[in-house]
Amino acid sequence: MQFDHTQFTVGFRQALENGIDYREYDKVNRLPEGIPLMAIAGVWGDYNDIRCLFIDQYGQTYRRHITGSAGQYIIRELDLNAKQIHLGQEFVVGKE
């Protein structure tokens, strides 16, 4: 997959300029288990939240809303700070 942006975390306007509108993504409270996902973007909201966007191999998109503070935006099922995710990084929840 090719991206027009170069880093995972982007502002809302920057996301829109790159054709990413998170409002079209399926909002989930937890990323699905056992499905390979690729990180598309982390779109900043206010200073305390980020919308982490992922896509699976079938083109299904997911939006995981993370609230945090003091630089910690933990995606619990990945046990990872959203600020540490890289564009295009792949994950499988529940698999090590």
Side-chain angles (χ1 to χ4, degrees):
M1 175 173 265
Q2 194 137 26
F3 300 104
D4 291 331
H5 54 297
T6 58
Q7 63 186 39
F8 179 70
T9 55
V10 296
F12 179 70
R13 288 185 186 184
Q14 184 181 8
L16 288 178
E17 289 170 1
N18 287 303
I20 302 168
D21 186 350
Y22 69 79
R23 297 171 294 189
E24 299 173 357
Y25 287 60
D26 285 341
K27 183 178 180 182
V28 296
N29 292 324
R30 182 175 173 81
L31 294 172
E33 289 191 25
I35 298 174
L37 302 172
M38 180 184 291
I40 295 176
V43 182
W44 289 109
D46 296 327
Y47 293 106
N48 65 346
D49 65 2
I50 186 170
R51 283 128 180 114
C52 296
L53 310 178
F54 300 90
I55 190 168
D56 68 19
Q57 61 193 7
Y58 304 107
Q60 179 69 40
T61 55
Y62 305 91
R63 172 176 39 135
R64 179 74 164 83
H65 186 190
I66 303 297
T67 301
S69 64
Q72 298 298 310
Y73 301 88
I74 306 300
I75 302 173
R76 288 180 306 246
E77 59 272 28
L78 296 177
D79 193 28
L80 183 66
N81 187 342
K83 290 180 68 174
Q84 296 175 325
I85 295 176
H86 301 285
L87 179 64
Q89 188 172 357
E90 295 183 2
F91 299 96
V92 178
V93 175
K95 304 278 183 179
E96 298 203 15

